Amino acid sequence: MSDKDSESNPTPQQPLPPGMVLGPDGKPCKICTAFRYWKPRKQNSSKAPSHDGRNSTTSMMAAMATGQSLASQSEPEPEPETRPEYCPPDVEQLGRATWTFLHTTAAYYPERPTPTQRANMLMLLRSLPILYPCTYCASHLDTNMQDNPPNVSGRVALSRWLCERHNDVNVRLGKDKFDCSIEKTDERWKDGPADGSCD
């Protein structure tokens, strides 16, 4: 078997790392997986420690410059919780950005939308399960939207509907639910807290 064959036909016995999600092609899905689950696995314990989990020339050079052996180096610095800003988004960054956009759009949606505004909002919402980059997330949203059709009748109804869909995701992920009253959604996505801390 050639190297090309082994790349296109990964061995099914290899377990996925915890938190790793497969895409529709059967390969690990980067946009469906949180960054913390993409940390490289250490290949060999005899390799030099490094900040990113890989054999690091920088670590070796630093050890030689200070006269330390690699084994006597202090513990490596903890890995950063987030990636540099210039990296593509992971599933959590994409999710936060998408929810921010949707909730804010709902907060500014008209109280009495025109038929055209309703149609455009429905098109936006119905496009998400088709176009959303994380196919795993899109599939869940599609099922949820079939069970709970979007309510685009006005700002209050849309804000509540989105908040409830967001809470469905929060429950699935083991997170706390958000209070979906219009006072709370407006405070979070439109007006800010009454204490003026966001003004």
Side-chain angles (χ1 to χ4, degrees):
M1 181 184 286
S2 71
D3 288 342
K4 189 172 184 179
D5 290 336
S6 62
E7 286 175 15
S8 62
N9 298 314
T11 52
Q13 303 88 287
Q14 296 175 345
L16 288 174
M20 181 67 68
V21 176
L22 293 179
D25 58 0
K27 296 178 182 176
C29 177
K30 198 170 226 178
I31 195 64
C32 302
T33 304
F35 167 66
R36 65 181 169 275
Y37 300 122
W38 276 97
K39 292 178 185 173
R41 293 189 225 168
K42 297 198 181 196
Q43 300 293 325
N44 184 337
S45 59
S46 65
K47 289 185 178 180
S50 74
H51 304 304
D52 64 0
R54 291 175 282 204
N55 187 9
S56 169
T57 305
T58 307
S59 295
M60 289 189 286
M61 296 300 284
M64 289 190 292
T66 59
Q68 293 179 326
S69 71
L70 290 175
S72 67
Q73 287 187 33
S74 61
E75 288 187 24
E77 293 178 27
E79 293 182 18
E81 289 294 318
T82 57
R83 296 185 295 178
E85 289 183 20
Y86 54 79
C87 293
D90 69 356
V91 70
E92 293 175 341
Q93 291 171 312
L94 178 64
R96 280 189 299 271
T98 303
W99 285 121
T100 297
F101 167 70
L102 291 173
H103 285 300
T104 305
T105 300
Y108 287 88
Y109 188 67
E111 298 284 354
R112 292 180 180 82
T114 65
T116 300
Q117 289 169 322
R118 288 181 187 202
N120 285 333
M121 181 55 73
L122 275 175
M123 278 193 296
L124 170 66
L125 296 171
R126 289 180 178 157
S127 71
L128 288 171
I130 299 164
L131 300 174
Y132 199 71
C134 171
T135 55
Y136 176 79
C137 309
S139 175
H140 278 277
L141 179 60
D142 186 38
T143 301
N144 195 313
M145 285 177 64
Q146 288 177 26
D147 295 339
N148 306 285
N151 186 340
V152 298
S153 62
R155 186 180 81 81
V156 174
L158 179 59
S159 292
R160 176 171 286 282
W161 181 85
L162 275 169
C163 182
E164 289 170 352
R165 303 297 64 80
H166 195 165
N167 277 340
D168 292 340
V169 174
N170 286 341
V171 168
R172 191 165 40 83
L173 297 176
K175 297 180 178 181
D176 292 336
K177 286 176 131 183
F178 190 82
D179 179 347
C180 291
S181 66
I182 193 64
E183 295 80 20
K184 289 296 183 183
T185 57
D186 275 358
E187 179 182 290
R188 175 65 183 91
W189 305 107
K190 188 174 184 233
D191 302 325
D195 65 7
S197 59
C198 294
D199 295 339

